[in-house]
Amino acid sequence: MRTTKIARKTAETDISVELNLDGTGAYEMATGVGFFDHMLDQLARHSLIDMNIRCAGDTHIDDHHSVEDVGIALGQALAQALGDKRGIRRYGACLLPMDDALLRCALDLSGRPYLVWNVDFPTAKIGSFDTELVREFFQALATHGGITLHVDCLHGVNSHHIAEAAFKAVARSLREAVETDPRKADAIPSTKGAL
Ligand SMILES: [Mn+2]
């Protein structure tokens, strides 16, 4: 089983992440940020990666440190659970509609962090959540997970739908990329021999 556990503690946040890449999308989220929990639920459910994420953060300041640091810890956990990436499909992509929102994700578990983020939110807030933090999360995830991550919003008028469709598009793409390919079960999917 490709499972892992990460604990990350700083002066700003205290985080634990448990993952099972070969799960069913079961999740338990308690980050102290309600909307963010709702987004992480989508990430687990639609990637079929079991996730248990806890964060005690300085949300009395704002949600920034908690959201960014969960992205860092989740990226580290993903990289650790993937190990030498033997047998994985490596690439994933998804075009995901949610009512008015249409999001496109393409990703490569390349070991080379890169984020291309073409997503504008029509509002600065979703409830009390700052929409700019969605990018912060994916930047941290890409950097610490070693992921080349492209996310584009092709259409959208509602910020909640745009954010949710982004998380679902990344989730679907991750599901594809971390899956083992039965035709290449013992190979590392790179001509370099390492990822
Ligand atoms: Mn929703």
Side-chain angles (χ1 to χ4, degrees), residues 35 38-39 42 98 160-161 164:
F35 181 75
H38 178 45
M39 294 299 102
Q42 312 302 328
M98 182 174 176
H160 187 124
H161 290 160
E164 191 161 340

Side-chain angles (χ1 to χ4, degrees), residues 66-88:
S66 291
V67 172
E68 183 178 20
D69 291 2
V70 165
I72 292 171
L74 183 58
Q76 289 172 339
L78 261 177
Q80 189 170 296
L82 282 165
D84 68 1
K85 303 179 186 169
R86 194 171 297 274
I88 65 166

Side-chain angles (χ1 to χ4, degrees), residues 8-178:
R8 184 181 188 276
K9 193 171 175 175
T10 70
E12 295 168 346
T13 58
D14 185 353
I15 295 171
S16 69
V17 175
E18 276 179 66
L19 292 187
N20 176 7
L21 298 187
D22 303 296
T24 57
Y27 54 82
E28 230 181 292
M29 306 298 176
T31 66
V33 182
F35 181 75
F36 187 42
D37 282 349
H38 178 45
M39 294 299 102
L40 293 172
D41 291 350
Q42 312 302 328
L43 194 61
R45 176 181 289 271
H46 293 280
S47 66
L48 301 185
I49 298 172
D50 294 345
M51 298 184 188
N52 184 341
I53 302 177
R54 288 172 191 288
C55 173
D58 55 2
T59 48
H60 59 283
I61 300 173
D62 71 358
D63 299 336
H64 194 116
H65 300 141
S66 291
V67 172
E68 183 178 20
D69 291 2
V70 165
I72 292 171
L74 183 58
Q76 289 172 339
L78 261 177
Q80 189 170 296
L82 282 165
D84 68 1
K85 303 179 186 169
R86 194 171 297 274
I88 65 166
R89 294 192 190 276
R90 178 179 166 182
Y91 298 100
C94 178
L95 193 57
L96 195 132
M98 182 174 176
D99 299 345
D100 53 283
L102 179 60
L103 273 286
R104 181 178 61 204
C105 172
L107 62 83
D108 177 11
L109 300 176
S110 57
R112 298 191 305 277
Y114 203 102
L115 177 71
V116 175
W117 181 257
N118 285 310
V119 181
D120 290 321
F121 290 98
T123 61
K125 295 263 190 193
I126 300 168
S128 62
F129 184 83
D130 295 318
T131 49
E132 66 180 11
L133 296 183
V134 178
R135 185 186 196 282
E136 293 304 302
F137 170 76
F138 284 115
Q139 178 70 72
L141 182 73
T143 299
H144 295 270
I147 304 169
T148 300
L149 177 62
H150 289 245
V151 185
D152 297 277
C153 180
L154 306 183
H155 192 265
V157 294
N158 179 278
S159 293
H160 187 124
H161 290 160
I162 292 169
E164 191 161 340
F167 274 84
K168 286 176 170 173
V170 172
R172 272 282 178 164
S173 305
L174 262 183
R175 172 184 172 177
E176 222 172 278
V178 305

